[in-house]
Amino acid sequence: MDAVEKANTERQQRWVKDQKVGEGTYAVVYRGREASTGRKVAIKKIKVGQFKDGLDMSAIREVKYLRELRHQNVIELLDVFSSKTNLNLVLEFLESELEVIIKDRNLVFLPADIKSWMAMMFRGLEFCHRNFVLHRDLKPNNLLIASDGQLKIADFGLARDFADPGYKMTCQVITRWYRPPELLYGSRYYSSAVDIWSVGCIFAELMLRIPYLPGESDMDQLKTIFRALGTPTEDDWPGHTKLPDYVPVGSFPKTPLRDLFTAASADALNLLNKCFIYEPRKRISARDALHHPYFFALPYPTHPSKLPKCTTQLSARPLEEMDGNVQMNSTGPGVKANNNRLKRKLSSPLDEGKGRSIARRLDFTKISPGT
Amino acid sequence: MSLDSKPISSDKKPLYEASTQFINWRYSVEQLARIRASLNEAAVSAIRHTFESDEPGSSSNVLFLNSVEEQLLVKLYITKITQLCALFRFPEEVEATAVTYLKRFYLKNTVMDWHPKNVMLTALFLATKTTNNPISLETYTTHIPKTVASDILDLEFLVAQSLGFEFAVWHAHRALWGIWLDIQNLPDNSSSVSPDIYDSALKHVRASRLTDAELIYTPSQIAFAAMALAAPELASAWSHLKIAPKDSELLFPSFQDLTDAIKALIISDGQPPNIESVREVDRRLRLCKNPEKVPGTKAYLAKKAEEEKKAEGRRNKKAAISQQAMTDGDPFGNDLSKAQSALVDYDDDDDDD
């Protein structure tokens, strides 16, 4: 046997799959453990054999970035190995996810709890951005919670490096409810500010306990945003009417956040406002957010181990992120689920359909910077 | 993004030093020679053994490749990556990444086991994906003569494994771009910097891809050496601005030596190999490559049969276990110790797709 294959087999034998905990079209997740120590892990098995183009993009992105990023608030990729036609990612085992906690009606959130989650979220995100990685799919069910209460940013299947100035990126990213207006208007040049908008939406959701801006379609998403935050003027956001998919969607007045977030502190609302600044260049950065007075004012953040925890164990984490990223004909978030509630799902068949052909056209005509 | 050109006086660890490239893919010149020699030695002895078991005495006339000859062949296929990237008009990032993958692959494998032609094609296809420039496999293979999808897919896992699934690569051309941006901001020479300087430095960076430089030095060191080759005075002005005076005394002699070493490497090794000598190596490779990897040969068939036998053994064992579970077990499952042993059957995990 080749040395490389042998090394792969040895890696494989370090990990034991115990129980299937979730299944999607392209991946199965197992709960497992490290054979030598018994440490609990999650093993995500991606069935590569089904892709005609070999290893698929979301698996490659996830492996590429998680291999490099080591941070308390980013999920840890412990190992990667292949078995026959499958790729296996060994991830640290995480008990719960923020979405489940938000929905658990038995739990009461104190302002200090929310502050703690926000601090961990911004720390993880600041680390990604410092490493020039855009996450592009932040939402409560991609924020996992460890048994010690630490919040971990997960699912890097849509992540990418910052593009150089002048290089286009696809705007078909981020689950709709968490998608910033510049992407809804088709901006192809964007920045870490897109992730900050998502964090703002999550911040609001932690306070409201329901999604803050649940649009039913891309068009309705813009309306929902403007109804909540006011239609941007040319002063608020210079040049936005020139964006590729700009459409006027009506003029709504700005209502103060205070009207909806009645219990929030002034600092909290100030930070929230800064996450929702329409002009992306003025939106607060993760780094500046960490220095915002909100985090230094009383009450101080709850210690992670003391945060509200789920009353029910997370048994089967849905694998919708895999479906959403790779399915050619995925139905998207506008589809109502059986219970007539909107599902959080990535709306666009990113890169595989429209996105990919655009990307290809780009790559083939672009010349390297400086020439 | 001049990631590498941070002032060295900063007390925070540079981002580069947390990268898998910094941690796992840096070698000394001696280490590289040792790794390649031992891979070569192991391959020669294994292939010799295969020849002998097929027909005793048959290996005595075979002239196996040595590690230098192997490198010559790899170098030729690096130049093929450049040609293919021009054909497909891939961005520089794709080309540089594919070249890195090819070099790293042959720090874990030898050309006698895996011919660089197919490895190169797979490395390039993988690089299009890891740099976020994907194209369909169909488009890819139809533009490359005598290549089918399976040529690429069959090796994709092997290449990815050999890379340790570490796909992110830090490149010298990015560092050069950072230095170039900095240089245009140098005091005193605002208007006099000709774009030709960048083009010339970039040519040196590209030449460095034909060398071992990236396995020995950091991207910024290579970029700086390339700039020093293109415009020595500008490079030195830039370095004086970047390195604080208090550090410079400490650093300068070794910094100068380092730069000189990289410059010398680029000048001496940075050209495509002589086609005639590579052709000779490739001709010999046809006679000494591992027959276990050549479909149709006796050794190949023997290896396949052996693998099939093993797999059948595992299947039988598994069938026996489930059979036993049906006959003697509690219908709700065996006791824990038996269940445990079944869980460590690694073939299991592929049955559910």
Side-chain angles (χ1 to χ4, degrees), chain A residues 87-104:
Chain A
L87 181 69
N88 294 267
L89 313 189
V90 183
L91 296 153
E92 67 178 312
F93 182 82
L94 298 166
E95 287 195 336
S96 188
E97 59 184 55
L98 201 56
E99 185 184 5
V100 177
I101 294 178
I102 290 172
K103 282 184 174 163
D104 190 333

Side-chain angles (χ1 to χ4, degrees), chain A residues 2 30 45 68 82 86 364, chain B residues 20 88 161 293 349-350:
Chain A
D2 284 37
Y30 297 88
K45 188 182 81 177
E68 305 293 318
S82 51
N86 299 319
F364 281 68
Chain B
T20 51
F88 284 105
Q161 281 167 9
K293 315 268 188 210
D349 69 84
D350 290 297

Side-chain angles (χ1 to χ4, degrees), chain A residues 12 84, chain B residues 311 314-315 318 344-351:
Chain A
Q12 181 172 357
K84 290 185 188 163
Chain B
R314 280 196 297 258
R315 278 197 297 271
K318 212 164 111 184
V344 203
D345 178 358
Y346 287 94
D347 259 10
D348 229 22
D349 69 84
D350 290 297
D351 288 352

Side-chain angles (χ1 to χ4, degrees), chain B residues 11 24 39 122 171 174-175 188 202 220 268 279 292 320 353:
Chain B
D11 48 350
N24 296 330
L39 276 173
T122 307
H171 293 298
R174 303 288 300 154
D188 312 334
L202 185 59
S220 52
S268 67
R279 201 165 282 160
E292 287 184 347
D353 47 24

Side-chain angles (χ1 to χ4, degrees), chain B residues 6-27:
Chain B
K6 289 208 165 129
I8 53 160
S9 52
S10 157
D11 48 350
K12 268 192 191 159
K13 192 164 95 168
L15 289 176
Y16 175 67
E17 291 184 17
S19 69
T20 51
Q21 177 163 330
F22 181 86
I23 298 164
N24 296 330
W25 300 100
R26 286 180 316 140
Y27 306 85

